[in-house]
Amino acid sequence: MDLHLHLTEGEPAYRQIVKQIEARVLSGELPPGTRLPTERDLAQQLRVNRSTVSVAYDELRAKGLIRSVRGSGTRVGEDAWGLDFRIPDWAGYMSQGIFQPTLPMVRRIWDENRRSANINLARGEMSADLWPTEQLRTLVAQMPARMELGYGDPRGEQSLRSAVSAHLASEYGLRVPDNQILITAGSQQGLLLVTQSLLRPGDAVALEKPSYAYSLPIFAAAGIRMFPVPLDDQGLMPEEVVALHRRHRIRMVFVTPTHQNPTGTTLAPDRRRRLIEICTDLRIPIVEDDAHGALTLEEGARAAQPLAAMSGAEQQVIYLGTLSKTFAPGLRVGWMTGPKAVIERIAGIREQMDFGISGITQAIAAQVLTTGIWEENVERLRQALRERRDIMADAIERYFGDELAITVPQGSYHIWGKLRRPMRDKDLLEAAVRHGVVVAPGTVYGAEPGFVRLTYASSPKAEIVEGIRRLRDAVTQC
Ligand SMILES: Cc1ncc(COP(=O)(O)O)c(C=O)c1O
């Protein structure tokens, strides 16, 4: 439950808790029957004494808003909600939207990351000291006088699509003409567009287990049945797609072949070829998420060849790219490539949805890709991330030894670890937070309990070792 206390404002903490819960019950945000956290959990979350929460719950019980039943915890009273008849039934509306509520664990991670005292090893984004602020300032000052300020082309501005086309050819050997490129607000939106445009409720999608956390709610909201393909250190196992297809008639494969999030694995070249062969034979399209592809950290190493650039894959693969990991996630610029007819169909839907992203942002992104700024920035990021990755891997070795098994990733932002003594993910997160560090437990990504994703990009370099030390203390205490 997302409560915020302002302890300096003079109002006692228990009253703030009462007021906030009461407002939520009356507005319908907490409908009748909703289970409230235990006194102990809420006290931990708010960092107050358990007795403070006890007093607040007592008062709410006295008002008839909540009730506690032995064995079923504390819940919002069945007849409590709707006391304020001027307010629409928001809870009813909210429960009917097509997207599921954000997972409580994900909300908790977000909330805890906002607290400045915590070290953030959870968010999949670069820390502010890695943002290209100065380059952007210079670039914006030199922007061309003419920019698209109308609704523009729903596929994206011609200048940016040309820039992306040249970028894909030089960086990844992926040759696609401008008319097979659609500009998106990031790969996340690319996946949403693909799902909404090309799939129907009940369709079966095969995807890596574990997988990118935010792909799961997109599929769930579209009524897609998700079937996991296991991974090992060489990436997903292509033959599993055949087995799944036999049983469930797979309609699409979603894969992150390079520096997979969360495991960091990269799909081996022979498995890439085999996956394409299988999908060609079975006529299954592949959606390739290459958000992390350019961030290979070994010195002098080039990005792995995307599936979309392999021979035979031209008509098979929808490729998703983004500036989020290599430049700045706040720019919200990404792209999608695919067969021309598919891109046109999705552009049509784009027009129905939002007409595309801002022409100003697109003009900036085109400059980033054509002036050498992107290359310069990626080189700087690679160096910084390599250094942070090594610092984190050393700290894990020092503080955990064989209590946490990791494979040092070749690229991108994350180290994926398996605890030797598994614990419940909720316990892991709560213990970590109590020690002032935020991490992402593996179940967020659909993994079994006992795994954890540690991001070395999201905290300044100087905090990484301390973050791992705090995590070790948390795990030891658990
Ligand atoms: C695999 C993967 N795909 C997509 C995204 C989202 O990227 P974007 O900001 O481009 O929407 C992320 C971000 O963490 C990611 O890890």
Side-chain angles (χ1 to χ4, degrees):
M1 198 167 41
D2 190 16
L3 302 184
H4 296 283
L5 299 187
H6 303 282
L7 297 175
T8 48
E9 280 179 9
E11 186 173 36
Y14 89 90
R15 282 257 13 111
Q16 295 186 39
I17 299 173
V18 169
K19 269 192 185 165
Q20 291 183 32
I21 294 183
E22 182 172 28
R24 277 162 216 210
V25 171
L26 294 183
S27 72
E29 199 182 310
L30 292 176
T34 306
R35 194 181 188 130
L36 299 184
T38 61
E39 290 177 2
R40 186 162 156 263
D41 282 355
L42 188 57
Q44 257 171 16
Q45 180 193 326
L46 299 175
R47 297 174 186 204
V48 294
N49 275 330
R50 183 173 166 174
S51 58
T52 307
V53 179
S54 280
V55 175
Y57 276 15
D58 281 346
E59 186 163 328
L60 287 162
R61 262 190 294 272
K63 285 175 175 234
L65 290 172
I66 65 171
R67 65 196 165 76
S68 302
V69 176
R70 190 180 287 275
S72 96
T74 302
R75 293 176 186 268
V76 175
E78 292 301 333
D79 49 359
W81 175 57
L83 296 181
D84 190 340
F85 291 110
R86 293 160 305 173
I87 297 175
D89 170 11
W90 287 121
Y93 286 98
M94 288 187 300
S95 66
Q96 279 158 28
I98 62 166
F99 277 89
Q100 305 281 317
T102 306
L103 285 178
M105 180 127 38
V106 173
R107 284 188 63 164
R108 185 92 176 96
I109 291 171
W110 274 85
D111 286 348
E112 285 302 328
N113 269 331
R114 276 196 229 113
R115 291 184 210 274
S116 57
N118 284 335
I119 294 181
N120 166 13
L121 303 182
R123 296 259 326 240
E125 63 171 302
M126 64 183 90
S127 53
D129 57 328
L130 295 178
W131 291 345
T133 310
E134 275 316 307
Q135 288 113 306
L136 261 183
R137 206 196 303 273
T138 316
L139 190 149
V140 169
Q142 294 165 357
M143 285 300 285
R146 169 101 183 84
M147 270 187 272
E148 178 56 64
L149 295 178
Y151 279 120
D153 186 326
R155 289 171 304 177
E157 291 317 309
Q158 175 62 47
S159 59
L160 179 54
R161 283 185 291 128
S162 302
V164 169
S165 173
H167 168 74
L168 294 176
S170 69
E171 240 350 89
Y172 310 96
L174 171 56
R175 287 171 210 292
V176 267
D178 305 358
N179 61 12
Q180 287 183 226
I181 295 175
L182 178 113
I183 301 305
T184 64
S187 352
Q188 172 82 2
Q189 190 193 47
L191 183 61
L192 177 68
L193 284 165
V194 167
T195 310
Q196 297 286 333
S197 317
L198 307 178
L199 296 174
R200 273 192 315 216
D203 278 349
V205 168
L207 71 169
E208 295 139 324
K209 180 178 177 171
S211 194
Y212 166 52
Y214 285 98
S215 65
L216 308 177
I218 287 188
F219 290 131
I224 304 302
R225 292 177 300 139
M226 290 175 260
F227 293 100
V229 184
L231 287 171
D232 63 15
D233 59 356
Q234 306 277 297
L236 67 69
M237 300 173 185
E239 302 305 327
E240 295 288 329
V241 174
V242 182
L244 286 176
H245 187 65
R246 227 175 268 138
R247 269 179 281 140
H248 307 290
R249 203 164 160 270
I250 296 297
R251 292 266 295 148
M252 187 174 273
V253 173
F254 172 64
V255 56
T256 308
T258 307
H259 312 315
Q260 201 253 3
N261 180 2
T263 62
T265 50
T266 288
L267 190 60
D270 55 330
R271 290 197 185 177
R272 288 182 188 234
R273 280 189 291 277
R274 184 68 190 125
L275 182 64
I276 289 173
E277 256 170 42
I278 288 171
C279 290
T280 309
D281 285 353
L282 299 174
R283 299 188 65 203
I284 303 175
I286 300 173
V287 176
E288 173 177 27
D289 184 346
D290 202 22
H292 302 266
L295 289 174
T296 298
L297 302 185
E298 301 321 319
E299 240 162 316
R302 282 190 61 83
Q305 187 186 33
L307 298 173
M310 296 177 75
S311 92
E314 300 76 16
Q315 299 299 315
Q316 202 71 35
V317 178
I318 295 180
Y319 174 88
L320 305 178
T322 177
L323 285 181
S324 290
K325 308 298 163 183
T326 54
F327 196 70
L331 214 53
R332 305 311 300 138
V333 175
W335 44 84
M336 172 195 306
T337 79
K340 182 164 170 284
V342 175
I343 292 297
E344 276 168 11
R345 165 82 175 122
I346 296 180
I349 290 168
R350 193 71 201 278
E351 199 166 3
Q352 296 173 40
M353 277 171 63
D354 63 1
F355 300 102
I357 61 168
S358 148
I360 300 170
T361 314
Q362 293 190 62
I364 293 174
Q367 294 287 310
V368 168
L369 289 175
T370 50
T371 52
I373 290 183
W374 184 86
E375 286 81 353
E376 206 178 277
N377 192 60
V378 164
E379 205 33 57
R380 181 180 64 88
L381 275 178
R382 281 196 186 122
Q383 274 180 30
L385 291 170
R386 192 162 52 233
E387 198 185 347
R388 290 180 184 202
R389 175 200 61 185
D390 294 344
I391 290 175
M392 183 178 269
D394 287 350
I396 291 174
E397 169 70 35
R398 166 143 49 107
Y399 288 111
F400 280 91
D402 58 5
E403 288 295 311
L404 183 66
I406 60 163
T407 315
V408 179
Q410 288 172 356
S412 211
Y413 289 5
H414 317 294
I415 290 185
W416 182 242
K418 183 172 195 293
L419 288 162
R420 193 162 71 86
R421 276 175 286 204
M423 60 183 73
R424 285 197 324 154
D425 273 7
K426 188 166 173 285
D427 296 342
L428 173 66
L429 179 59
E430 292 309 327
V433 163
R434 277 198 302 280
H435 284 80
V437 59
V438 192
V439 297
T443 48
V444 168
Y445 310 92
E448 314 300 330
F451 288 87
V452 61
R453 191 192 78 174
L454 301 169
T455 303
Y456 43 83
S458 53
S459 270
K461 194 169 83 179
E463 294 182 0
I464 293 176
V465 175
E466 173 60 12
I468 297 295
R469 192 193 62 74
R470 291 182 187 183
L471 181 65
R472 192 273 321 265
D473 289 352
V475 169
T476 310
Q477 194 200 47
C478 260

